[in-house]
Amino acid sequence: MSMVDSFEKIPVKIFPDLKEGSAFVAQQIATLIRNKQTRKEKAVLGLSTGSTPKSLYAELVRMHKEEKLSFKNVVAFNLDQYYPIANDALQSYHRFMRINLFDHIDINPKNIHIPNGEVKKEGIKTHCRQYEKMIEDAGGIDLQILGIGNNGHIGFNEPGSSINSRTRLITLDNSSRIANSYEFANISEVPRLAITMGISDILKAKKIILMAWGPMKAPVIKKAVEDDITEHVPASLLQNHDDVTFIVDESAAAELTRNKSPWLTGDCEWTPKMIKKAVVNMALKLGKPVLSLTNSDYNEYGLSDLLVEKGDAYEINLEVFYMLRDTLTGWPAGKPNAVIPGHPERSIPYPKKVIIFSPHPDDDIISMGGTFQRLHDQGNDVHAAYQTSGNIAVTDEFVTRFLDFAVGFEEIAGIDTSKSDKILKDARRFLARKKSNQVDTPKIRAIKGLIRRCEARAACRYVGIKDDNIHFLNLPFYETGSIEKKPMSEKDVKITMELLRKIKPHQVFCAGDLADPHGTHKICLDIVTESLSRIKKDHDAWINDCWLWLYKGAWQEWNIEEIEMAVPMSPDQVLKKRFGIFIHQSQKDMVPFQGSDSREFWQRAEERNSVTAGQYADLGLTHYAAMEAFVRWHY
Ligand code: F6R
């Protein structure tokens, strides 16, 4: 009998990525709809919004268009809606459902039900009772689709919601407002209230599927699935339902015991990677350097299996210590004229041609500023390739400030200012009347892009990179003017392949946010890996000697056991990096769409780099001030 999932109190199916997970759920929905069709019955679906179900809805739309899946017999009930909100507002869930699903399928509009964010406050109770009655009259929900908040909410049932809670008005948790703030221009615009179906309504569904993608969801998935039932984690209340399945991708499953500590489930193959993971986690948990771990530590931590296989703690400790030591290097492109077995990079060729791909114009310096500097200082030919314009993250105030400068500059230079003056006036007029989240004019978007380009150029000059080595790709997928991006296209790949073929790099660095469900970083990574794979298929000679290294974006760091190259930094190098990040002035202070972390980018970077260095020290290696971390990716 498999013990793999023995810690899990809710069945969990893990898929390699959200696309495959979504396709599985779409198939479940399609089967339900078709079975009901043959019986001439209605299929009653409970639906959710947010970033999680977007790919599910895209797949259902595809099935409708390509596989003739009809939604004529579907009755849909959505979980929730902000309150108050106009149904046609940009962030309203009515609009979300139309754009992502209902406008593209043949559902009867009469069968669509979404809590109404426009009802008067006095009418809300009645509205909620009617909503529940409508579900009951439809025969109850056959299949309820859920997402999960980082705080464990389902629907908008925030922590503390009781198992008996019904459809009602609820105050949004601050963490939910912050998590959803990416849809709004800033946090103060996120509504404070919402109407949500209650936990008791959700539990009445005949079948429930909860989906979760990405590493941010990993801790709450573990709590909901493995820990005790508690109203503090509303999703854990689903343990009371007898037909619920969690569909997650690998990164959302990362904290489950079967992945985090697979040796505890009795089903574990002791590869070097697994040994490193087990021992590193044990050492950090016990607060002991690796070389001080004893046989009894191994036994007490549940690693007696490994001990039996390897014989002695000290042997295993040494093996892991050397693995950690071999990741450390001050020579990120390899050390010339040196033979260092186990070094993460080749010493030949030297110097190397290097491309650092940066999704936004500041990711390079934020995420690998110290390494960037070293690569350059050590004589390598370093190119910076900025993948997107990053224009949506510039405030309107910056535009008028710089236009003011442009007009003033022309005055000083004795150039006719009438054209720039008009642009400034037009911009002022437009921005003064701009509605929250309204897309900027193409000219203003171009100016915002220019501001970020100048900052990136200045930062490159600060590092010492020559102008010819700075490339702005302006990938088209990004240019929507809003938070919602287009999918990667042939054009994006073509532009990237052209640059790669021109430079023929030995080393490529890329933002490796592998599981970011809706972010620019993931698309940027996909574009580079797709380009490299195509060049490989075409057998270009240089590609066989081109290594791809991934750094993490501004939000996260690799787990210590995953790191394959760690580049230490001195306190001076930390400061130099900080000042490099400061050059990106438009990204300091109040950045639009900053997400759920209110720290500035330089603070996040410094904290992350010093935590990595601290963990290496805790494991018994030298204590550096800071470290940047990389994982090699085989494409
Ligand atoms: C949305 C809803 C919420 C979301 C949850 C996750 O209708 O009810 O519970 O499912 O907040 O949001 P995302 O999917 O954006 O991570």
Side-chain angles (χ1 to χ4, degrees), residues 47-53 78-80 93 146-150 153-156 180 182 196 217 518:
L47 298 177
S48 68
T49 53
S51 59
T52 307
N78 262 76
L79 276 168
D80 44 20
Y93 289 160
L146 296 175
I148 182 168
N150 293 340
H153 74 212
I154 46 177
F156 273 132
N180 287 9
Y182 73 90
T196 182
K217 298 282 167 77
H518 45 79

Side-chain angles (χ1 to χ4, degrees), residues 49 78 80-82 85-103 112-118 127:
T49 53
N78 262 76
D80 44 20
Q81 170 68 298
Y82 291 119
I85 195 161
N87 288 342
D88 61 356
L90 268 174
Q91 300 86 355
S92 123
Y93 289 160
H94 286 248
R95 186 167 175 277
F96 176 99
M97 290 307 296
R98 277 205 312 275
I99 288 181
N100 287 288
L101 185 63
F102 296 147
D103 278 357
I112 295 173
H113 308 279
I114 303 176
N116 187 354
E118 292 182 351
H127 176 61

